[in-house]
Structure formats: structure tokens, C-alpha cells
Amino acid sequence: MTNLIRFSDHIFVAGHKGMVGSSIIRKLLAKGYGDRGGGRILTASREDLDLEDSSAVNFWIKSNKPDVVIIAAAKVGGIYANSTLPTDFLLKNLKIQTNIIESSWIYKVRRLCFLGSSCIYPKLAPQPIQEEALLTGPLESTNEPYAIAKIAGIKLVEALRNQHGFDGFSLMPTNLYGPGDNYHPHNSHVMAAFISRFCQAADTFIPKVTCWGSGQPRREFLHVDDLADAVLFCLESWTKDLTSPS
């Protein structure tokens, strides 16, 4: 139980200005983290820390000494963005997550939470999706680069846990929506796109709205504050026996 989060911990939230990161910080503050027990909530803007620069991340982690790291930083976007910028989604996410995870292990971060994505599962995985479905079939082609990067992060956390006893775990949020979402007409996720298009139509008296796709796929949606609750619950309550390094 010694690995669970404490009020005295210094907690680094990577991606603190994004929809997920900002929600996690709100939940942490609401429960007294960063206020009670001498702990701090650590953040770094893009101007102060380039997460794609391994040397910069190493120096920042070494200097700030976080006890807990939550990785909510990622290059994200909807179907259009994923389809037109596959290199960005693969390369940037590989760099960001690998740099943070490896530095956290090197500099003895006590507990790490990595946020993956439900798109890591095969396109035709049996419903409802089980964790065991991972890597059992082809991915959805429109977001394959992003999914591959996330799978690599999950497997890196798993490898460090199994080989070195590093207390890292991964959570797979489904389609998110909520405060701080991206409402760009082409680069947003599905729920934000719906909200934006229907609100615009209502405001301008447009009689119909065009939605992409066939309308046949079923989606599961999760409010970002509910995800933040889940992250905090796991940090506070979930534990698993660690494999001691040989």
C-alpha cells in the first residue's frame, strides 16, 4: 500500500492545459492534493518544457522530483486529423510518452498513470470489448498511427513493471467530451463535432446538419470529469503486486 498517492506527494500532470489534464487538476485540488500535507501539483507549459525533447524531459524530472506522474499529454484529433497527419500522430506521441515514462523510471517516480485510448483495440473486436482483445486483430485504419503509439506506451509501462518493478499502470478512456474540448470543424472528436454543428445550426437557423459516416457505428461516451474521478480512484485505491527485478 506504500505506493498509493499521498497528500505529501509532488504530482506532475503532463498536458495540464488540455481537456483531460485540466479536469484531473480540478479533481486533485478539490480533494486537497497540492494543498494539504506539503505536496505540490507540478505543471509545465510547452514554452517551459518540450515533451518531445528527451534531454529536456530528463532534466525537468530530475530537477523537480515528482513522486507521481499522470500522462495526459498527447497529440490528439478526430478522424480527419488522424487521416491527414499520420506521421505527426505516430511520431509525436511516441516521443512524448516514451520520454516521460523512461525519465520517470530513471529518476524513481513512485507511481505513474498513463492514459491510453479505446482505439487500441481491433476494429472488429467482440462487443463489449475485453482487455484480452488487444493485439488480436487489425486496427481501425483512420486512427491506426495514434493507436500504435498508444499501444507502445502501454507495453512500455507493462515491461517496466514486469522487469523492474516500476509502479506504472495504464487506463483506456473511451470517447471523451466536456469542458475544454476542441470544437474545430475538421480536427475535433465526434461529440465536440456534434455539439459544434448542432449549436451553429440552431444559432443560424440552418435546417439540417451533415454528420460524417454511415450512422451505423455505436459509440460509448464518457464525460471528462468522470475520467478524472477514475484516474484519482486508481491512484488512491488500486494496487497490484509488483514483480521484483532480478
Side-chain angles (χ1 to χ4, degrees), residues 4 21-22 41 45 56 70 103 105 168 171-172 175 190 192 206 216:
L4 300 182
S22 59
I41 295 178
S45 67
I70 304 169
S103 293
W105 165 56
L171 300 178
M172 301 311 116
N175 298 275
V190 59
I206 297 175
Q216 297 301 311

Side-chain angles (χ1 to χ4, degrees), residues 82-209:
N82 275 270
S83 299
T84 56
L85 299 170
T87 303
D88 295 49
F89 279 88
L90 181 56
L91 196 56
K92 287 180 179 291
N93 283 306
L94 284 173
K95 288 179 178 179
I96 290 168
Q97 63 201 31
T98 302
N99 290 341
I100 300 173
I101 294 168
E102 184 177 17
S103 293
S104 296
W105 165 56
I106 290 171
Y107 294 109
K108 312 297 183 185
V109 166
R110 198 181 74 253
R111 174 151 258 223
L112 178 142
C113 174
F114 173 64
L115 293 176
S117 169
S118 58
C119 72
I120 64 169
Y121 295 107
K123 178 179 181 179
L124 301 178
Q127 302 294 318
I129 298 174
Q130 303 293 317
E131 289 187 19
E132 292 75 17
L134 183 64
L135 297 177
T136 60
L139 300 165
E140 165 58 49
S141 60
T142 55
N143 56 14
E144 183 181 76
Y146 179 74
I148 288 173
K150 285 296 185 180
I151 292 170
I154 293 161
K155 289 301 182 180
L156 177 56
V157 171
E158 183 181 287
L160 287 169
R161 171 178 283 273
N162 292 337
Q163 183 177 347
H164 298 287
F166 178 66
D167 187 16
F169 63 90
S170 302
L171 300 178
M172 301 311 116
T174 187
N175 298 275
L176 298 171
Y177 69 99
D181 206 344
N182 170 25
Y183 295 94
H184 189 278
H186 300 301
N187 297 334
S188 59
H189 287 107
V190 59
M191 183 60 81
F194 283 163
I195 292 172
S196 178
R197 290 172 190 175
F198 282 103
C199 285
Q200 184 181 26
D203 290 342
T204 57
F205 303 102
I206 297 175
K208 62 180 181 178
V209 171

